[in-house]
Amino acid sequence: MIITAETYHVPVLLNESIDGLAIKPDGVYVDVTFGGGGHSKEILRRLGKKGHLYSFDQDPDAEKNIVNDDRFTFVRSNFRYLKNWMRYYGVDHIDGLLADLGVSSHHFDDETRGFSFRFDAPLDMRMNKRAGTTAAEILNNYDEEQLADIFYIYGELKNARKIAATITKARNEKRIETTDDFLHVTEKLFQREREKKEMAKMFQALRIEVNHEMDALKEMLNGAMESLCEGGRLSVITYHSLEDRIVKNMMKAGNVEGKVKQDFFGRIEAPFRLVNNKVIVPSDEEQQQNPRSRSAKLRVAEKI
């Protein structure tokens, strides 16, 4: 499979998310989800000669899309280490940060990675193929209660316990190594009319666990809050309720739990001001052209 920036990933809410950054020509910006480079290229297009962009990605495939520009620095790392890398590069404050969360279209379309049940492939699901635990290892080694928690919390599946019990029973007879193995074990648990939707949630739950996505998101957002200068912008695109809730909490309360702090006079203390009170969603045209965008929500906040 030949990978190009165009086939790797079609950027979602491109103009809306970059507009949300209110880019200063000489500012310092971070794109924590480089992928195909679509958002990064648009940020660079709006930056002046003295501006700079740092873009993060832990997937080796994304490196094929690196931009040749003196104003650009590619960081081969998980975005959870944002604060450490900014310190490494001597950056005290940034003027804006963009995050397009979730999985790129490239990952879903790559037949070898195990992200999609459309293809029979080894159950890997690691964003960083160089390290970490695979989905197959989780399915074969986690106990029944751990598996049930994953499918209930990350997949919001009501029959999570039944799924976990079925998996633990099946793996005693034969290890679950591929997407087809996984589907063969679990497909009888879903009603035909909701089968694809429920399977997508099941795969989502596994992917989140494999890549520790929720923990990484929380660490990145805390790092962003510390790194953003006064007036700096945070522009985040989410795709499911779990990550959207975390982002919403951070923007409204300044913490991922959403615990509102008040001063002596009862005034809410929050480090951000919401730029858009309502979430921004893709136009009907974009949703038709790019099906991945259908569940996308954009939230933008400014550091006070």
Side-chain angles (χ1 to χ4, degrees), residues 117 120 123 166-167 170 173-176 178-190 195 199 202-203:
F117 53 80
D120 184 24
L123 275 166
T166 302
I167 290 169
E173 299 176 13
K174 180 181 178 292
R175 280 181 63 85
I176 302 168
T178 68
T179 53
D180 273 10
D181 290 343
F182 189 29
L183 292 177
H184 179 70
V185 167
T186 57
E187 61 187 353
K188 59 183 176 289
L189 302 175
F190 303 115
E195 187 177 50
M199 284 180 178
M202 192 168 63
F203 271 65

Side-chain angles (χ1 to χ4, degrees), residues 148-165:
D149 286 346
I150 290 170
F151 294 122
Y152 184 73
I153 297 170
Y154 296 151
E156 299 178 295
L157 289 159
K158 294 178 181 178
N159 60 341
R161 291 194 177 280
K162 195 170 183 179
I163 294 171

Side-chain angles (χ1 to χ4, degrees), residues 240-283:
H240 59 77
S241 59
L242 297 174
E243 61 190 14
D244 187 58
R245 193 177 306 126
I246 291 171
V247 172
K248 182 180 178 180
N249 286 344
M250 174 58 79
M251 290 184 173
K252 286 196 170 182
N255 57 74
V256 296
E257 296 82 19
K259 296 177 181 176
V260 176
K261 298 177 183 177
Q262 295 180 325
D263 64 14
F264 179 78
F265 300 101
R267 293 173 297 203
I268 295 174
E269 294 181 328
F272 290 107
R273 175 187 70 82
L274 295 179
V275 174
N276 302 93
N277 289 321
K278 291 185 177 181
V279 294
I280 299 169
V281 297
S283 65

Side-chain angles (χ1 to χ4, degrees), residues 284-300:
D284 291 341
E285 183 181 1
E286 180 173 1
Q287 290 184 47
Q288 289 175 358
Q289 292 176 351
N290 184 5
R292 178 180 178 268
S293 72
R294 288 172 186 166
S295 60
K297 293 179 179 179
L298 170 65
R299 295 183 185 274
V300 182

Side-chain angles (χ1 to χ4, degrees), residues 99-155:
D100 180 8
L101 303 175
V103 183
S104 73
S105 47
H106 158 67
H107 289 118
F108 283 126
D109 293 337
D110 188 338
E111 299 179 18
T112 67
R113 302 285 290 272
F115 283 97
S116 173
F117 53 80
R118 289 182 292 146
F119 314 110
D120 184 24
L123 275 166
D124 192 317
M125 295 193 186
R126 291 173 300 168
M127 299 287 192
N128 180 0
K129 294 183 287 187
R130 295 167 288 202
T133 304
T134 68
E137 289 168 336
I138 287 171
L139 289 175
N140 289 293
N141 298 326
Y142 277 30
D143 64 34
E144 187 176 321
E145 187 175 352
Q146 287 175 304
L147 290 172
D149 286 346
I150 290 170
F151 294 122
Y152 184 73
I153 297 170
Y154 296 151

